[in-house]
Amino acid sequence: MLLDALTLQLGYNATLVAIGATMLGVAAGAVGAFLYLRKRALVSDAVSHATLPGLALAFLVLVALGGDGRLLPVLMLGSALSSWVGLWLVSWMGRATRLSEDAAIGAVLSVFFGFGIVLLTVIQTLSAGRQAGLEGFLLGSTAGMLRGDALLIAAGGALVLAATFVLRRPLLMIAFDEGHAEVQGLNVRALDLMLMTLVMAVTVVGLKIVGLILIVALLIIPPVAARFWTEDATTVALLSGLFGGLSGYAGAALSATAPDLPTGPIIVLMAFALFAASLFFAPSRGILAAALRHRRLQHRVHLRQGLLALAHGQPVYERLTQRMLRDHGLVRADGVATEAGRRAAAAALRDEARWQELRRADTLSELAPRDDGLTRIEEVLTRDQLAELDARLTPREAL
Amino acid sequence: MGAEFVTLSLTPILIGCFAAMACALPGNFLLLRRQSLIGDAISHVVLPGIVVAFLVTGTIAALPMMAGAAGAALVSVLLIEAIRRFGKVESGAAMGVVFTAMFAGGVLLLEQTDTSGVHIDVEHALYGNLESLIWLDATGWGSLLDPLALAGLPPEALRMAATFAVVAVLTWLFWRPLKLATFDEGFARALGLPTDLIGLGIVVMAALAAVAAFDAVGSIIVIAMFICPPAAARLMTNRLEAQIGWSMLFALLSAILGYVLAGYGPLWLGATASVSAAGMIATVSGVILGLAALFAPHRRA
């Protein structure tokens, strides 16, 4: 069943939804990456909640004109207009008052959403007895999606993606160094506005499938997940788009396999699964990698301290240190150093002495900060420098 | 303003007022600490909390629901902190990851569960059921003195009043450390105050208010009251004491005006049905904030 779904064998409607969701996911992931790098991920929450009044007003206008209230293009236009107003209010509050951006975001999202709910109850009373109108847009609903709707969503996603591709360089510049971008002649405010317009476009495109409460997840989660895998911003954007598309595709397919698997939440949970996997398993930035690194460091420290203790003829009591020394064949089970252990201990002691001497040598002492107790001095100095150091060392040791 | 008002409108208005004030009070500190969106996050994760509580207990009694919601709020705060720390993710994004995923999980659980027999759904969590909290035993203003009628008050009324009282007393008790840690964390730490603990305490207080309020009034009011009244109050004054006073006033005003406009406004306009009170209360609080942003004396720094 799942295989059928993943290979788009579950019928016409499911295929339409999967195509739309994939395109939406890719676009949302790519735009979200730039939003995340600009450190304004939560603005999208205000944008998405602010669509509701426009959505409801568009519906009311359509009904007043005698048409079907659920004409998707008009609804998308209405929601785009009202999220524009919301966005403008967020930035206006930032400029005109001393409120911080997060307060402005929260105010706009709650007030617009509240007003939208008021309008929804108006619609409910108007259409009492008729088929309900707009609740599906809160959490997305893909049941009975029309071919035209799916194509509109896919085309909208593709358009957003293309615009993001064109704007990728300036968007990266304002994300990393606003001042530098400005000196380079970029209009930071206009670019911010464009980024927000892209965010708004993703939101509007995603209303039907994912719904306005959860669409922010597609803008936020994929880039956060992608960031774990790479330090390169362009790669973050590419990976984020890939993760978003994967979530959209797998989520839509999975939700087609059973009636009580709502598409929007499943897509979001897919994205979260990718995030969780990245958090744990990503190389270098992942938790597992960090834990392994920590363990390796711990072992090296214990080994080194153990060797120094051996060299000074001191007994080793610490359990982990004892084990490390034994595992490396440096001491026997009774704690007496082996031949290899004695050699390694002597090497550690010499290394320590060389570092000591390096601090006194006026030509080399600036390298002293490289001494972290683990780095061997051979890794820092050239052979000549080492010989010079040893030459200084020998007479003193002879004393 | 007769018997009908007491029966149908008095308790919802009172509950709305207590809920608004209980949320706006900790909202002041969240605002000044630039943590306003924590209220947003908490009110989203309440949904999976109540669904899990329903799955475990099989009832929609208030106590398990609130325990579930509180548990979910705690889990979300811990998750956000863990992702922020171990994943080195910026806090706004960490918050976005956690609350959307938990909300999605809540919706999914709800769809998977047979809740046909009980009143638990996403809409309920979003906009509550303020209008339905009527006082059937009341026969008029005299019922306020009638112990028998008072016993029939909707339980939400007492719960919300108690929540507001707890939040108010906590704020009063810890006033000085709260104020210090909010305005000058470094100085507070130098004085030996446990600033991390105070920060956590504020979040817990906010969660308490949110969890108690969502059941009666839904998430929208919770988020709006966390932010709008304190934000408007912040533009009125530079003194924290005065700011809190203003925020309480704005919260009260939003709750009363919002309820009246939602319940009676459409009738004045000739319509037959009322509109969502929760939505209208949030809208009124937004209008107040808008007016403050335009005209308040301290709207700029």
Side-chain angles (χ1 to χ4, degrees):
Chain A
M1 185 70 165
L2 184 61
L3 199 67
D4 284 347
L6 286 174
T7 49
L8 300 179
Q9 306 286 308
L10 274 186
Y12 186 63
N13 190 270
T15 307
L16 280 182
V17 173
I19 292 173
T22 309
M23 213 51 232
L24 169 70
V26 174
V31 172
F34 293 99
L35 193 67
Y36 174 55
L37 294 174
R38 185 98 176 101
K39 297 198 168 53
R40 297 185 71 191
L42 282 177
V43 177
S44 57
D45 209 19
V47 172
S48 62
H49 284 77
T51 54
L52 190 57
L55 191 70
L57 284 175
F59 183 93
L60 285 171
V61 168
L62 280 171
V63 171
L65 293 175
D68 178 7
R70 279 161 301 157
L71 198 61
L72 191 58
V74 180
L75 293 181
M76 282 165 74
L77 185 70
S79 46
L81 287 177
S82 84
S83 70
W84 248 104
V85 176
L87 205 52
W88 183 82
L89 280 175
V90 169
S91 82
W92 175 76
M93 266 196 269
R95 272 179 286 128
T97 75
R98 60 182 179 179
L99 294 173
S100 60
E101 186 173 46
D102 68 323
I105 290 172
V108 164
L109 88 84
S110 59
V111 173
F112 271 64
F113 195 70
F115 184 57
I117 295 296
V118 169
L119 293 175
L120 278 194
T121 48
V122 172
I123 291 174
Q124 271 164 1
T125 51
L126 282 182
S127 58
R130 266 192 294 148
Q131 202 183 350
L134 295 175
E135 280 74 10
F137 285 96
L138 290 182
L139 293 167
S141 101
T142 50
M145 192 151 92
L146 303 173
R147 181 162 179 269
D149 293 353
L151 289 180
L152 186 64
I153 290 165
L159 205 66
V160 172
L161 198 61
T164 314
F165 180 76
V166 171
L167 290 172
R168 68 193 186 284
R169 282 180 210 285
L171 286 181
L172 276 185
M173 282 180 72
I174 61 165
F176 283 110
D177 193 340
E178 208 180 307
H180 179 67
E182 202 147 18
V183 172
Q184 292 282 307
L186 291 177
N187 187 339
V188 174
R189 249 188 86 184
L191 281 166
D192 259 336
L193 198 68
M194 270 184 239
L195 178 58
M196 289 305 144
T197 309
L198 290 175
V199 168
M200 184 199 75
V202 166
T203 309
V204 168
V205 168
L207 281 181
K208 178 84 180 168
I209 293 184
V210 183
L212 64 91
I213 299 181
L214 284 176
I215 183 69
V216 290
L218 273 187
L219 284 160
I220 297 178
I221 301 179
V224 176
R227 182 68 183 86
F228 280 103
W229 297 88
T230 169
E231 303 290 326
D232 174 63
T234 315
T235 319
V236 170
L238 285 173
L239 254 185
S240 171
L242 180 73
F243 284 171
L246 221 58
S247 319
Y249 178 69
L254 193 63
S255 87
T257 59
D260 51 2
L261 294 175
T263 315
I266 294 282
I267 293 178
V268 173
L269 289 174
M270 284 288 152
F272 184 76
L274 283 173
F275 161 78
S278 307
L279 174 69
F280 282 104
F281 302 119
S284 107
R285 283 178 72 99
I287 287 181
L288 201 65
L292 283 177
R293 236 185 352 257
H294 178 75
R295 226 174 98 94
R296 251 198 324 269
L297 181 75
Q298 195 184 22
H299 285 181
R300 283 181 61 196
V301 170
H302 278 268
L303 200 59
R304 172 83 174 197
Q305 293 307 317
L307 283 175
L308 287 176
L310 282 187
H312 289 120
Q314 293 158 346
V316 174
Y317 295 115
E318 215 281 324
R319 283 276 169 73
L320 182 62
T321 313
Q322 285 176 345
R323 213 187 75 213
M324 295 310 309
L325 289 172
R326 265 203 311 277
D327 287 359
H328 281 80
L330 300 173
V331 298
R332 295 197 315 242
D334 58 3
V336 176
T338 60
E339 177 59 32
R342 275 197 297 278
R343 241 182 294 123
L349 192 64
R350 188 169 65 238
D351 193 53
E352 198 79 346
R354 281 168 165 175
W355 275 115
Q356 290 283 329
E357 192 56 37
L358 177 133
R359 277 168 219 283
R360 294 197 200 97
D362 31 285
T363 49
L364 296 173
S365 60
E366 63 217 41
L367 287 169
R370 296 283 299 275
D371 178 18
D372 52 8
L374 289 175
T375 312
R376 288 183 310 134
I377 203 160
E378 285 98 330
E379 295 166 25
V380 179
L381 298 186
T382 64
R383 202 170 296 167
D384 293 348
Q385 287 172 317
L386 215 55
E388 183 193 333
L389 204 60
D390 283 343
R392 289 171 52 103
L393 205 55
T394 335
R396 194 165 302 152
E397 276 191 348
L399 284 173
Chain B
M1 289 290 188
E4 196 192 343
F5 173 82
V6 178
T7 310
L8 294 180
S9 299
L10 182 66
T11 40
I13 289 182
L14 279 178
I15 292 168
C17 288
F18 284 128
M21 292 194 299
C23 291
L25 191 53
N28 279 295
F29 297 100
L30 291 179
L31 181 89
L32 291 169
R33 298 167 68 92
R34 298 180 177 234
Q35 293 179 321
S36 288
L37 288 172
I38 282 191
D40 182 29
I42 290 174
S43 52
H44 277 87
V45 302
V46 154
L47 182 71
I50 56 174
V51 179
V52 169
F54 170 72
L55 285 177
V56 172
T57 63
T59 67
I60 53 164
L63 206 65
M65 293 285 112
M66 285 176 63
L74 194 68
V75 167
S76 74
V77 170
L78 291 178
L79 267 180
I80 290 171
E81 198 54 27
I83 290 177
R84 207 171 63 80
R85 247 182 231 172
F86 297 123
K88 298 185 186 62
V89 175
E90 169 227 347
S91 70
M95 210 189 292
V97 169
V98 170
F99 81 73
T100 53
M102 285 182 75
F103 189 79
V107 175
L108 181 64
L109 267 182
L110 201 55
E111 294 279 327
Q112 300 270 307
T113 317
D114 176 29
T115 51
S116 48
V118 294
H119 186 64
I120 169 174
D121 53 35
V122 176
E123 278 80 15
H124 176 82
L126 284 178
Y127 32 99
N129 57 346
L130 193 52
E131 294 89 341
S132 69
L133 301 176
I134 51 179
W135 188 12
L136 280 175
D137 295 329
T139 50
W141 287 103
S143 300
L144 282 175
L145 299 173
D146 176 3
L148 210 62
L150 280 176
L153 268 177
E156 284 86 353
L158 276 180
R159 204 151 63 223
M160 255 359 281
T163 307
F164 174 61
V166 167
V167 171
V169 167
L170 282 177
T171 310
W172 179 71
L173 274 179
F174 295 104
W175 177 254
R176 273 187 57 80
L178 274 176
K179 190 176 173 181
L180 268 172
T182 298
F183 280 109
D184 195 340
E185 195 154 359
F187 181 58
R189 202 175 298 138
L191 286 180
L193 289 174
T195 48
D196 288 346
L197 206 64
I198 296 173
L200 187 68
I202 293 175
V203 172
V204 168
M205 197 159 78
L208 177 77
V211 166
F214 94 91
D215 175 47
V217 297
S219 304
I220 302 175
I221 295 190
V222 173
I223 309 175
M225 289 305 131
F226 267 131
I227 297 172
C228 292
R234 173 90 181 105
L235 304 178
M236 299 297 292
T237 171
N238 274 329
R239 288 181 45 244
L240 182 59
E241 291 81 359
Q243 180 187 325
I244 289 198
W246 278 111
S247 74
M248 292 297 101
L249 179 72
F250 290 147
L252 274 177
L253 214 60
S254 310
I256 297 172
L257 256 172
Y259 189 84
V260 170
L261 281 179
Y264 300 96
L267 307 180
W268 299 334
L269 293 176
T272 49
S274 56
V275 296
S276 161
M280 193 55 99
I281 291 174
T283 308
V284 171
S285 75
V287 171
I288 293 176
L289 175 59
L291 290 175
L294 282 174
F295 305 114
H298 292 276
R299 59 185 182 278
R300 283 170 203 283

